[in-house]
Amino acid sequence: MKTTYKYILGQKTYTFKNLADLMAKATPKRSGDVLAGVAATSSQERVIAQMRLAEVPLKTFLEEHLISYEKDEITRLIIDDHDSEAFKIISHLTVGDFRDWLLSDTTTPLLIKQARTAITPEMVAAVSKIMRNQDLILVAKKCPITTAFRDTIGLKNHLSTRLQPNHPTDDVRGITASILDGLLYGNGDAVIGINPATDNVEQTIKLLKIMDEIITKYEIPTQSCVLTHVTNTIEAIEKKAPVDLVFQSIGGTEATNTSFGVNLSILKEAREAALSLNRGTVGNNVMYFETGQGSSLSANANFGVDQQTCEARAYAVAKKFDPLLVNTVVGFIGPEYLFDGKEITRAGLEDHFCGKLLGLPMGCDICYTNHADADQNDMDNLLTLLGVAGCNFIMGIPGSDDIMLNYQTTSFHDALYARRVLDLHPAPEFEAWLKKMEIFTNTDTFSLNNNIPSGFSKSLKKVIGA
């Protein structure tokens, strides 16, 4: 059932044809929604839509589906997994009331956790649209989410990093040098994860073995991942490769995931395959998902729904498979979807808030492409804001410049900055390893060893051919 939404201001009546239209018009301005033709036509219309959206009861989202239940398995997942008993905690609220409830001092992290199975992606997307940046930060801070494999990620006052040693030709020496460089800056506790330049099963296994050899040799309490298609990883597992985490990009509609070559059944098969290896030591979260606002629109699979709501729906997919890491690659698709630093910052805070409120271990690739109207100062700002908000992990890349994917992100020393200024520690198991290996000489101040630690000097000489 579709409802028309109206708001009367003075002598003028604003009309929104359905709930999807109302939510799109209420979304803070971004280029992707303009491109899709769903954005508000003026700032006044946007504010009116936000005012009307605030009046919508939360129960409406269970009755009026933005994307067809019959035609979309993500909608079916959201509705079928909804906890009606837990919903009693918040069922009487409107979207505006929900915002006030989340911000209230009496709404504790425990109370949010109790209501979490009743909160749908559409509800969190809706409430985010009427929140200021500081609201998104404050509520996300209330939602610590902890996961584990070989170390524990997401603890309060901790910040982990994905060490991303990409190379344009998958050169072994180049990858190894980047890994060692990152480790010497205290990076890599979330995952050592490579985007392969050559994406096939044989190359996946080769890269997995390189990382496994390093992790095993230095007894590093972390996990590895090759960011290849999930079916390649399943085949690698069948070939007895040392797979820690299974990666896949996901979207918020069935059609988006079809464009990625996946569905819920394939993801279930992959998770079960990874669990069968039993490679975790302190936990069994084995999935790593990446998302990004604009992916559904770029696949022509958004069905008139704004990009931020599509993004939130992707989190329902991630949640189903109990991941170790979920990463919103916030500025990667380009200015067609997030035009400048302001839009990227807002999107990063929204994604982190929505994911955490739904119970996901959210990280963020704080990034932009070279044709976006953004720079590293914008990334510094978002990095700091996400650190305050309790983000689980960020990226660590040599010089903040990914020379294989050709985009700008955060560097090894950016992560060190965030840890120092906000007193955010690596995963505890990894921090103990950093101290043992003499990488951190002082784990309270995150002071680095001025010299190459003895455990690494031979390896570095071998890499550089000295």
Side-chain angles (χ1 to χ4, degrees):
M1 177 180 176
K2 301 293 184 181
T3 303
T4 299
Y5 294 85
K6 296 182 179 181
Y7 195 93
I8 300 173
L9 180 66
Q11 306 251 334
K12 184 172 182 179
T13 299
Y14 290 82
T15 302
F16 307 94
K17 61 184 179 182
N18 52 40
L19 186 55
D21 184 43
L22 177 63
M23 289 185 61
K25 297 293 194 298
T27 305
K29 184 180 179 181
R30 63 208 56 198
S31 54
D33 291 336
V34 174
L35 179 65
V38 301
T41 57
S42 67
S43 297
Q44 185 176 41
E45 185 183 30
R46 183 173 299 108
V47 172
I48 294 297
Q50 290 170 341
M51 293 168 67
R52 182 64 184 90
L53 181 60
E55 297 174 347
V56 174
L58 292 182
K59 63 182 66 174
T60 301
F61 295 98
L62 303 175
E63 301 162 355
E64 184 175 347
H65 307 150
L66 303 188
I67 298 173
S68 169
Y69 179 92
E70 291 74 22
K71 297 180 180 179
D72 188 274
E73 71 171 356
I74 312 308
T75 300
R76 293 194 294 275
L77 171 66
I78 292 167
I79 298 302
D80 294 350
D81 281 6
H82 183 259
D83 187 339
S84 57
E85 186 63 29
F87 190 53
K88 292 177 181 178
I89 299 173
I90 56 173
S91 61
H92 59 292
L93 302 177
T94 64
V95 172
D97 295 331
F98 188 37
R99 172 189 176 275
D100 295 341
W101 183 82
L102 290 168
L103 291 168
S104 171
D105 290 341
T106 60
T107 302
T108 62
L110 177 60
L111 188 56
I112 292 174
K113 184 177 181 180
Q114 290 171 345
R116 184 166 285 139
T117 52
I119 300 171
T120 70
E122 290 84 356
M123 293 175 192
V124 301
V127 75
S128 75
K129 297 176 191 302
I130 63 169
M131 299 177 86
R132 292 172 57 184
N133 286 1
Q134 65 173 251
D135 299 335
L136 299 174
I137 293 169
L138 181 60
V139 175
K141 186 77 170 179
K142 285 187 178 185
C143 303
I145 306 297
T146 304
T147 55
F149 188 75
R150 289 201 189 96
D151 56 359
T152 308
I153 300 166
L155 293 168
K156 187 177 180 181
N157 298 323
H158 286 69
L159 175 67
S160 294
T161 60
R162 169 188 161 189
L163 201 170
Q164 186 169 311
N166 294 345
H167 193 279
T169 63
D170 288 339
D171 178 76
V172 172
R173 288 179 64 193
I175 288 172
T176 303
S178 291
I179 291 174
L180 293 175
D181 186 24
L183 291 171
L184 292 174
Y185 272 100
N187 280 243
D189 51 333
V191 63
I192 301 174
I194 301 174
N195 298 86
T198 304
D199 194 2
N200 56 49
V201 176
E202 182 181 351
Q203 187 69 1
T204 295
I205 294 173
K206 176 183 177 182
L207 295 174
L208 284 167
K209 288 181 177 179
I210 291 170
M211 290 186 288
D212 186 61
E213 181 181 344
I214 293 172
I215 289 172
T216 301
K217 177 177 181 179
Y218 295 106
E219 300 179 330
I220 310 171
T222 190
Q223 36 284 327
S224 70
C225 185
V226 174
L227 281 70
T228 186
H229 192 270
V230 64
T231 54
N232 286 342
T233 306
I234 292 173
E235 190 172 339
I237 291 172
E238 292 171 348
K239 292 179 180 292
K240 310 299 182 183
V243 172
D244 291 339
L245 305 184
V246 175
F247 166 82
Q248 183 55 48
S249 294
I250 54 173
T253 70
E254 181 177 343
T256 306
N257 289 324
T258 297
S259 75
F260 292 151
V262 297
N263 55 39
L264 298 179
S265 178
I266 291 173
L267 294 176
K268 182 174 183 287
E269 178 188 351
R271 179 173 182 267
E272 290 173 350
L275 286 172
S276 71
L277 300 178
N278 197 31
R279 290 174 59 85
T281 55
V282 296
N284 61 357
N285 300 109
V286 296
M287 302 299 286
Y288 175 18
F289 295 116
E290 286 194 346
T291 65
Q293 288 194 29
S295 59
S296 290
L297 176 58
S298 66
N300 195 29
N302 63 312
F303 304 105
V305 177
D306 67 271
Q307 66 181 40
Q308 189 260 333
T309 301
C310 286
E311 171 75 4
R313 284 170 53 93
Y315 301 155
V317 179
K319 186 177 179 180
K320 183 68 176 176
F321 300 102
D322 199 19
L324 180 77
L325 309 166
V326 179
N327 177 30
T328 169
V329 192
V330 68
F332 181 74
I333 302 182
E336 300 88 346
Y337 303 95
L338 295 169
F339 181 74
D340 57 17
K342 183 175 182 179
E343 290 188 9
I344 291 171
T345 297
R346 174 70 190 189
L349 294 177
E350 287 171 347
D351 294 350
H352 179 254
F353 160 83
C354 289
K356 282 294 185 66
L357 188 52
L358 288 168
L360 288 175
M362 290 301 297
C364 185
D365 192 341
I366 302 162
C367 63
Y368 64 101
T369 56
N370 286 318
H371 60 309
D373 188 9
D375 59 25
Q376 287 300 140
N377 285 328
D378 295 312
M379 300 306 103
D380 287 349
N381 293 342
L382 180 54
L383 167 61
T384 306
L385 293 172
L386 285 170
V388 173
C391 187
N392 279 33
F393 69 100
I394 61 169
M395 302 300 108
I397 295 176
S400 72
D401 181 13
D402 192 305
I403 58 174
M404 194 277 281
L405 293 174
N406 294 311
Y407 77 113
Q408 309 304 311
T409 180
T410 46
S411 70
F412 301 145
H413 58 275
D414 291 337
L416 194 59
Y417 146 77
R419 284 172 172 165
R420 285 174 172 172
V421 76
L422 297 173
D423 194 23
L424 300 172
H425 289 252
E429 300 89 346
F430 192 81
E431 185 173 47
W433 178 83
L434 292 171
K435 187 174 182 179
K436 182 185 78 171
M437 296 297 291
E438 301 178 335
I439 294 171
F440 279 4
T441 58
N442 188 324
T443 54
D444 292 326
T445 60
F446 313 105
S447 300
L448 297 176
N449 194 333
N450 288 328
N451 302 307
I452 301 297
S454 57
F456 289 91
S457 57
K458 290 183 179 179
S459 298
L460 286 171
K461 288 179 180 179
K462 184 176 179 181
V463 168
I464 64 176

